[in-house]
Amino acid sequence: MALHPFDLDLAKHVDSALAAYLADRRALGERMERSFTEAVDGLTDFVLSGGKRVRPTFAWWGWRAAGGDPEHESAGRVLTAVSSLELIQACALIHDDLMDASETRRGRPTIHVQFARRHRENSWLSSPEQFGLAAAVLIGDVALAWADDMLFAAGLPTDALQRLSLPWRDMRTEMLAGPYLDVLTQARGDASADAALRIDRLKTAAYTVERPLHMGAAIGGGSAELVEGLRAFGRDIGVAFQLRDDLLGVFGDPAVTGKPAGDDLREGKRTLLVALGVEYGADSLEGALGRPDLGDAEVDAVREQLVAVGAVDACERRITELTESALRALEAAPVADPAVTERLAGLAVSATKRTS
């Protein structure tokens, strides 16, 4: 398979599509209400300042798996359509940071922190924190609305839009239901492995890998058999992706991940790593989970226990098992070109062995 420039540097082309779209939206916002450009600029900076473009990448290769041709005149429109997934991601991250009271994202202040600071610097009325909260909710909502707008303005044929309406509709519901289940589980104090995996499947696997692949295959008119094979691959890789994220949330290098080490512990996240730690007897977790003031030494103590009781090894084994089962599903799927299978397999490995 000869690789097209879109294939070779997809993230760069996704960034270009997003930059063009957001610049157009800014111009509209400026005509509508000049002060709104501050919110648009905040969103634009957030979207374009980082991110691995995982979701558009899986959607693009789902389209290629269904026989999509990057040399066809429709390829640019497909690229624009799949790039809209980054606005869905922006909504999810901005709202997640707010719900988790996170101070940083990608090594920079989170949106609610930025806008609280702006309020404070201008000596505006009322609470800076409340203003930051309100701004983050609204900016996240703008991202979600504009994801719809970007997708449906991409110029895809009517039949392709009809085919992808189901995965798009279901994905947006899943990416909201998952975080609700997450906060509910934290509130209930449910530290079971089953609860953690349900959250991973709904909150991450569906909208990170499974549905983007489904969308791409739907745009390309892929068969039901192909769609099912890609979804099975995506479900397992998506969960493995999240399990790697959970490990990085406790053991990752802040200089690489862009978030303070141990933030998941401070936020009280009920991950599979935590569930296994509780199950295997890591008693330091009980006093550490959900403590915003958790110090570095205490984080180190929890880390040592998670390793000592075998929770980290068990999580790594689960990642390996999920990756292997995903690759078996991929091999069995009727992908249009064997080289696309190789590309998707490579993406699976990079998603589950990453360091950031």
Side-chain angles (χ1 to χ4, degrees):
M1 178 180 68
L3 293 177
H4 187 273
F6 285 163
D7 295 332
L8 293 168
D9 198 355
L10 188 66
K12 181 186 78 172
H13 294 287
V14 167
D15 283 349
S16 296
L18 288 165
Y21 183 79
L22 289 167
D24 179 70
R25 294 291 86 189
R26 188 188 194 279
L28 174 64
E30 190 168 21
R31 292 195 299 272
M32 184 186 302
E33 169 53 53
R34 184 175 295 274
S35 63
F36 183 53
T37 58
E38 295 178 356
V40 177
D41 288 344
L43 174 61
T44 300
D45 184 57
F46 183 85
V47 170
L48 298 180
S49 65
K52 294 173 281 294
R53 310 312 184 210
V54 171
R55 291 152 189 85
T57 298
F58 277 111
W60 175 261
W61 286 99
W63 177 68
R64 297 283 269 121
D69 180 1
E71 297 287 353
H72 193 272
E73 55 87 21
S74 65
R77 296 195 290 273
V78 173
L79 177 74
T80 299
V82 302
S83 297
S84 67
L85 286 162
E86 283 300 303
L87 295 176
I88 294 279
Q89 168 72 339
C91 168
L93 293 180
I94 290 168
H95 286 172
D96 267 2
D97 287 342
L98 184 60
M99 290 185 289
D100 295 340
S102 296
E103 296 286 319
T104 60
R105 165 75 63 180
R106 299 168 182 160
R108 307 175 65 183
T110 50
I111 289 288
H112 65 277
V113 169
Q114 289 179 39
F115 278 79
R117 181 181 299 167
R118 179 171 298 178
H119 182 290
R120 201 173 288 112
E121 289 171 348
N122 285 280
S123 301
W124 291 338
L125 300 177
S126 192
S127 162
E129 288 70 28
Q130 185 63 29
F131 177 77
L133 182 154
V137 169
L138 294 169
I139 290 170
D141 288 349
V142 168
L144 184 60
W146 284 359
D148 260 354
D149 295 346
M150 186 176 186
L151 175 70
F152 289 101
L156 294 176
T158 301
D159 57 343
L161 284 173
Q162 289 175 338
R163 289 192 299 268
L164 72 84
S165 64
L166 173 64
W168 180 256
R169 182 191 69 198
D170 287 353
M171 178 193 63
R172 289 178 303 155
T173 301
E174 289 157 352
M175 60 84 65
L176 296 170
Y180 178 75
L181 178 60
D182 192 7
V183 297
L184 180 65
T185 300
Q186 291 182 48
R188 288 174 170 172
D190 186 350
S192 67
D194 178 65
L197 287 170
R198 288 203 315 273
I199 292 168
D200 290 346
R201 290 189 188 102
L202 194 58
K203 184 179 178 181
T204 302
Y207 98 99
T208 300
V209 187
E210 179 187 355
R211 293 300 186 184
L213 283 167
H214 189 178
M215 282 179 56
I219 293 170
S223 67
E225 187 181 3
L226 172 66
V227 168
E228 185 47 46
L230 290 178
R231 289 187 64 188
F233 165 75
R235 279 192 293 271
D236 283 354
I237 285 299
V239 173
F241 178 94
Q242 182 57 51
L243 297 186
R244 176 61 60 202
D245 206 54
D246 295 343
L247 285 165
L248 291 172
V250 177
F251 292 91
D253 179 354
V256 179
T257 64
K259 297 199 77 173
D263 253 16
D264 281 4
L265 298 174
R266 297 183 183 94
E267 293 160 11
K269 288 189 176 296
R270 303 288 171 165
T271 64
L272 181 66
L273 177 64
V274 166
L276 293 172
V278 170
E279 182 182 338
Y280 295 169
D283 51 27
S284 61
L285 279 169
E286 185 176 346
L289 278 179
R291 271 187 51 202
D293 63 341
L294 194 67
D296 291 344
E298 293 166 300
V299 170
D300 287 341
V302 172
R303 285 170 162 169
E304 289 173 9
Q305 269 210 332
L306 288 171
V307 172
V309 300
V312 172
D313 283 346
C315 210
E316 289 285 4
R317 284 196 300 273
R318 187 68 67 96
I319 291 172
T320 299
E321 290 165 2
L322 286 164
T323 303
E324 289 173 351
S325 65
L327 293 175
R328 287 194 297 270
L330 179 63
E331 285 292 336
V335 173
D337 187 324
V340 175
T341 300
E342 293 174 18
R343 193 73 171 186
L344 283 169
L347 289 172
V349 171
S350 62
T352 56
K353 293 187 179 297
R354 71 195 201 287
T355 59
S356 65

